[in-house]
Each structure stands twice: as structure tokens, then as C-alpha cells.
Amino acid sequence: MTKKLVLSRPLSLSEHFLRSRTATRFYNNFQVTGTYSQNISSHLIWVYMALRKSLLDYPILICNIQREKDDCVFRPINSAKLGDIVELSDIHGNIENGAINEKFMKYLNTISFDLYSETPLFKLVILGEHVSAVFEHTITDGLVGPYFHEIFLKNLDYVSNESNCTEYEILYGKIPTQVNLDSTLFNFEKDQSFFTHSLPPPSDIFVEDPELDFTYGDPDYHEKAIPEGYETKWPGRFEPTHDQSIGYKLVHFDPDEAKQLVDKCRSQGTTLTPFIQVVHVLTMQPIYGDKHYTSHRMAITLRRHAKPENVPDYFQDAYAEPGYKLLGGWAHVGPRENYPPLFEFSWDKVKEIHRNLVADTNNTRLYNIYQPFKNVYSKTSNNDEFFQLSMQAKADATKLSNLGFINFPVYKSTPGIDWTVNNLVFSQDVSAPTADFVYNIISTPLGGLNIVVSFQDHRSDDLSNESLEGLVAKFRHNLLFYSEK
């Protein structure tokens, strides 16, 4: 190595929370599936080369979490075969209308990762041209899903061009003559000299102390504001249980429909996420009833707070490098929005939620949410007791996570091959005490807008499955209907 790299560091408070959530099996994973312009399954050598380059450029991807005497640390694992990360799956029965189907999402959600081990914390499940990138949440947040596909796509274009082979071997090591799932992809002892950047810093250092009140003592802050006449929060569809299973409903909008939604929101001076939240609450009123208020959250990223002057010296070169992605965990579930029962749609309500969201994205005290955990957590145990206490009631009715609009380039550096990603689908696990519904949102120019609704499906005695399917179909209808008004 020509410079001092940080390839191991202790976990921050927020990372310890996510580590403990994984270790106690309160959360499995999230996934973002990209549909590529080429059949990835038939080019395993390119997968090997592009994946190896991705790991060496972004060392957090080849780290696990290890216990030390007084803390837990990130560090690269000792070694990995290609098959430790890559799984080749059958396209038949898993792809419908050009995207992974709900049955396959359910399968992906069964993938779990072993902390404190010498195994990777992410997986690629490849079905022809479809690549499902599945992540443990401590090393990455949701935005890293599309980031990974941007990195992997660019690397596939690079490695498929034979003119880059000599440079590749200098920068990333010798290319095997043959590759299979048993091929050694990474060996720390032999490969540490090929790392070029340090681990990303923790997001915690860019925000204020968790002890500081994120509402600044404002009694009217929207998280505190309870709708008049509805003093009791909705208790949830069912009591939290570890025995839950997760179902998925994919709601798709083609590019023209997606443009209609976005254009209408812009004309109203708002963004898509608050619009989706309001339409959801209105549509799901038959489930929520008319006797309680409901609480809902919109996830936000804290990357905007990573000011250059606060980035540690060891990561300054990576942060300043054009196109280098800031991986790691930067997501926040967002403060609550408390809704009364909704029986009619209002753009004024959407604008209100939008204003709150804008204010929240600029709030540097949001890690106040970790204060209860900070008061009791251990840096080495799994903190089971803390998470078991959360099983007493559902925290919220819904959580929305919008990864945004991802505009992939078309790479043409390899003669006869165009590389791009045509579509993205995002889904994730639902922690038992967290919410009844999770809305996972992502869009691309060619694939349009995909909203995956995650929900507990171990019981359905509050409404029949047909009724839930009907409500999801009505949700899609309502989004289009209110974007026309």
C-alpha cells in the first residue's frame, strides 16, 4: 500500500443498534434487484472480475463485524469464494413482466447473514439478466442498493473490454483462466495491497449528540402533534411476534404513468414521497378504522450532512474522488407524522407533510432516536433485552423508504455490447415491532416506478387476502386518480 488506509474501525452508536437488530434476528435484509441489458449468468468471468474490483474499491463490502475485548469492529474477512457471494438462480417462475415476482421477494427475505464470522454480509442472486443485491443493514443502508448497481454496471463495462485486462491485473490482480463458484474471489493476506480507499466513516460524526432533543422543545413539532379528537394511537393489525412471515405486493407504474405522478407533485410544489404517504393513509382507512390516529414515517438519508470539512483525513481522498460512492449506513427512519382518519384527499395535506419532510432532512439532531438505546446498550453483547422490550406494541403503522430516481448511463466501451440497467425493484424485511406496512419505492427512466408493499402475512383475519389485494389495487388507482385532479 502506498498510503495509510483504515481497513478496521470500531462501530458507532447507530451501527451498534443495527448490528444488534441483525444479531437478535429482528431484521434480515433488504434487496435491490437490477435488470441489466446483458445476460449476466452467461458471463461468470465478468461477474468475478467486476465483483472483485467492487470489493477492492469499496472495502466495506468485504467486511464483517468482529467482537474485540471492549467493542465490535468492522474488518475485512479472511477470504471468500465467488460462491460465498454469488448464487445462480433459475429465471423460470421467479420473473413476471420483466421483474422479480412476489414469490421471489419472499425467498430473498429468508436470506440471513452471520455476524462475528468470516463470511460476507451481502449476496448477489443472479437470474439471467436480473441481479438481486441483498444486504445486511449494518454495513449499508438502502441507498447503497442502487449505488452498488451503479458501481457494478460500470465495472462490468470495464472488465468486458479486453483492452483493460493488463491494467486490471496491475490494479486488481491476476485474472483466472477459468472461473466457477469455487474460485477464490478474495484473500485478505494476498489482496490487501490492492485496496485503494479506507472504510467510510460512521454517519454519527456528522450529526449532533443523541442526547439533544430533535424537536428543540417545540410542543407543536409534528412528531408530538396528536390529531384533535383522537388521543389513542392505532394498536396495529396484530400484536408483534417472532413467528411472522412477510408478504409482498409489487405496484408498478410504467414510465408515462410515473411521469404523470411526478409532474403533478411538482406542479403542487411537493415531492412524490409525501403524496404516496397521504394516498396510502386514505386508501388503507378500512384497515385503520375511524377510532384512532395512526403514525407514519418517511425514511431520509443523512449524507447531506457529510460536509467536506468534517470528513476524517483517512477518507478525504475517497470523498473528493469524482463518482466515488459514500457507502455505509446513513439512513434515518424519519420523525413520525400522526394522522387522524382520512376520508378525503387534500393537496394541502400533502404540502404540509412535504414541508415537514424538508425540515426533517435539515435536522442534525435526528440521532436523538438512539438515546434510549445509548442509555442501556453494550458494545459487545447482542442487546437482546432492549429489542425484546420493543415487542410490546407496534411502533408505527407504516414506514416509507424512497430510494429515488436512478438514471443509469449506457456504457459502450466494449465493441458490440451496451451496458445499462433497465429496471430496479426494492423490497425489505419488516421488523416485527416496527410497522404493519413498509413501502419500498424506486424508479428508473426505462423501468418506471416500482412500489413494493411489505407486510406481515402470517395472519389475515382482520381482512381477507383478497381484500388486502383489493386495497393495494385501489392504492395504485388512487395515485393515478389524484394525480389527474
Side-chain angles (χ1 to χ4, degrees):
M1 281 183 252
T2 59
K3 58 184 177 181
K4 179 67 174 177
L5 298 182
V6 173
L7 296 175
S8 177
R9 66 162 177 82
L11 273 63
S12 67
L13 174 66
S14 66
E15 291 166 340
H16 274 297
F17 177 89
L18 295 170
R19 165 189 70 85
S20 302
R21 189 176 67 163
T22 294
T24 54
R25 296 306 181 202
F26 272 76
Y27 186 89
N28 272 354
N29 66 62
F30 69 89
Q31 70 81 22
V32 177
T33 298
T35 301
Y36 286 65
S37 54
Q38 303 294 328
N39 187 329
I40 307 297
S41 295
S42 61
H43 298 290
L44 204 57
I45 182 66
W46 292 347
V47 170
Y48 174 96
M49 293 171 66
L51 181 55
R52 178 174 165 82
K53 182 178 184 304
S54 302
L55 301 179
L56 294 172
D57 288 343
Y58 294 89
I60 190 67
L61 293 175
I62 197 61
C63 283
N64 202 307
I65 296 163
Q66 305 299 340
R67 286 190 177 103
E68 294 192 342
K69 183 178 180 181
D70 300 316
D71 209 340
C72 287
V73 301
F74 289 123
R75 71 158 175 78
I77 61 176
N78 291 332
S79 64
K81 296 179 180 179
L82 182 62
D84 292 330
I85 295 179
V86 172
E87 174 185 327
L88 300 178
S89 191
D90 191 350
I91 196 171
H92 301 292
N94 295 316
I95 303 297
E96 294 177 20
N97 301 316
I100 60 169
N101 60 21
E102 295 155 2
K103 182 191 76 171
F104 193 67
M105 293 179 210
K106 206 169 176 66
Y107 163 70
L108 293 175
N109 192 59
T110 66
I111 295 172
S112 59
F113 298 97
D114 295 324
L115 302 182
Y116 325 123
S117 71
E118 297 295 333
T119 58
L121 294 181
F122 86 106
K123 194 175 191 69
L124 299 183
V125 185
I126 301 176
L127 314 86
E129 66 269 31
H130 308 278
V131 179
S132 294
V134 187
F135 295 92
E136 191 275 333
H137 214 311
T138 312
I139 61 165
T140 59
D141 61 20
L143 268 179
V144 175
Y147 283 177
F148 175 82
H149 286 291
E150 291 178 292
I151 295 164
F152 193 53
L153 175 71
K154 187 175 183 178
N155 289 344
L156 284 167
D157 175 66
Y158 174 79
V159 303
S160 63
N161 188 331
E162 291 184 1
S163 65
N164 292 324
C165 286
T166 300
E167 180 184 72
Y168 182 96
E169 292 199 339
I170 293 170
L171 296 176
Y172 301 103
K174 186 173 176 58
I175 302 169
T177 55
Q178 289 186 327
V179 166
N180 57 47
L181 294 180
D182 288 325
S183 299
T184 298
L185 177 68
F186 172 80
N187 181 285
F188 180 73
E189 185 177 350
K190 296 178 180 179
D191 293 335
Q192 58 183 303
S193 62
F194 294 117
F195 285 118
T196 56
H197 297 304
S198 297
L199 297 178
S203 56
D204 304 50
I205 66 175
F206 299 97
V207 295
E208 297 184 66
D209 192 287
E211 294 184 3
L212 297 175
D213 175 18
F214 76 96
T215 72
Y216 294 83
D218 179 3
D220 296 322
Y221 197 94
H222 64 86
E223 167 134 336
K224 296 179 178 178
I226 305 302
E228 186 176 353
Y230 298 93
E231 288 74 25
T232 306
K233 188 167 76 169
W234 184 62
R237 295 180 68 200
F238 317 115
E239 67 280 359
T241 173
H242 282 301
D243 297 327
Q244 70 177 29
S245 56
I246 306 300
Y248 299 91
K249 297 297 177 187
L250 173 59
V251 183
H252 173 69
F253 299 86
D254 66 34
D256 289 338
E257 292 171 326
K259 184 177 185 300
Q260 174 183 315
L261 300 181
V262 172
D263 287 351
K264 182 64 176 183
C265 289
R266 284 176 178 164
S267 74
Q268 294 290 328
T270 182
T271 49
L272 185 62
T273 311
F275 176 53
I276 290 174
Q277 187 183 80
V278 171
V279 172
H280 157 81
V281 177
L282 174 65
T283 305
M284 295 296 177
Q285 202 57 51
I287 292 180
Y288 298 146
D290 59 3
K291 297 179 181 179
H292 306 90
Y293 76 89
T294 54
S295 63
H296 310 265
R297 297 181 186 262
M298 295 174 287
I300 57 179
T301 177
L302 301 176
R303 283 176 174 81
R304 60 178 51 81
H305 299 307
K307 306 299 184 184
E309 61 270 19
N310 296 328
V311 173
D313 290 343
Y314 66 80
F315 199 68
Q316 281 285 346
D317 61 328
Y319 189 79
E321 183 178 306
Y324 194 82
K325 302 294 184 182
L326 182 53
L327 304 192
W330 298 79
H332 187 281
V333 295
R336 288 186 173 99
E337 291 285 354
N338 299 313
Y339 283 75
L342 287 189
F343 301 103
E344 60 182 22
F345 177 78
S346 165
W347 279 107
D348 288 339
K349 183 65 175 177
V350 178
K351 293 173 186 177
E352 173 195 334
I353 304 303
H354 172 73
R355 288 192 296 270
N356 292 341
L357 178 61
V358 171
D360 291 337
T361 60
N362 294 307
N363 191 334
T364 56
R365 292 187 176 182
L366 290 184
Y367 273 8
N368 186 213
I369 195 174
Y370 292 119
Q371 182 60 30
F373 180 71
K374 181 182 180 181
N375 289 337
V376 299
Y377 86 110
S378 159
K379 291 185 177 181
T380 54
S381 80
N382 290 342
N383 299 296
D384 300 73
E385 185 175 347
F386 176 86
F387 284 88
Q388 288 298 337
L389 286 173
S390 71
M391 292 291 284
Q392 295 175 2
K394 293 282 179 68
D396 298 293
T398 68
K399 288 181 169 53
L400 272 70
S401 182
N402 188 350
L403 302 186
F405 178 77
I406 317 299
N407 191 1
F408 288 94
V410 179
Y411 294 106
K412 297 176 178 286
S413 61
T414 305
I417 296 180
D418 290 352
W419 284 106
T420 193
V421 173
N422 297 315
N423 192 30
L424 290 174
V425 175
F426 168 39
S427 68
Q428 64 177 310
D429 194 13
V430 182
S431 180
T434 297
D436 285 275
F437 300 99
V438 176
Y439 281 66
N440 311 281
I441 307 160
I442 198 164
S443 58
T444 58
L446 296 176
L449 170 66
N450 290 311
I451 304 175
V452 173
V453 186
S454 309
F455 57 95
Q456 292 104 359
D457 68 348
H458 61 288
R459 287 174 54 186
S460 58
D461 44 302
D462 61 331
L463 282 174
S464 67
N465 286 331
E466 291 77 17
S467 295
L468 184 56
E469 286 188 9
L471 286 171
V472 172
K474 188 175 181 182
F475 165 72
R476 183 186 189 282
H477 166 82
N478 284 345
L479 285 171
L480 291 171
F481 178 74
Y482 292 118
S483 67
E484 294 171 347
K485 298 186 71 173

